Amino acid sequence: MTGQEEPLTADIISSSSELDIAILKVSTADGETLSCLDTGDSDQLVIGDWVMAIGNPYGYDYTLTMGVISAKERPINVQDENGQEACH
């Protein structure tokens, strides 16, 4: 992580292999407080809102994607680890 001399450790708070997402709690070796981003309330989104996602898909560093909300509450079909479709 930029600005950190030592590697950080993280605990997995929650994860979904089907959706390829996880929530991590990151800690520094010396207990230093890390800054954070304010999160929005997805219930307040309306069609036409701009959104962004920041992450590390497939190990690519510093990844950001942006888009426009085109629909809400639409089911997303994904396959589980056994190749069976699951609706989320």
Side-chain angles (χ1 to χ4, degrees):
M1 185 168 133
T2 303
Q4 295 293 317
E5 301 276 332
E6 298 293 322
L8 302 176
T9 59
D11 294 317
I12 299 172
I13 303 300
S14 182
S15 67
S16 169
S17 60
E18 294 166 350
L19 297 175
D20 191 23
I21 192 169
I23 297 173
L24 306 175
K25 181 177 181 182
V26 180
S27 304
T28 62
D30 61 3
E32 176 185 350
T33 301
L34 299 170
S35 59
C36 64
L37 296 173
D38 291 330
T39 55
D41 181 350
S42 60
D43 290 333
Q44 300 302 312
L45 287 173
V46 295
I47 294 172
D49 278 351
W50 281 89
V51 293
M52 71 172 59
I54 303 168
N56 188 355
Y58 308 111
Y60 299 125
D61 287 339
Y62 309 111
T63 301
L64 171 94
T65 187
M66 296 176 63
V68 177
I69 299 296
S70 61
K72 289 180 64 173
E73 299 182 29
R74 194 168 56 187
I76 300 172
N77 295 320
V78 296
Q79 292 183 347
D80 64 18
E81 289 138 356
N82 299 318
Q84 301 296 314
E85 281 202 13
C87 196
H88 294 277

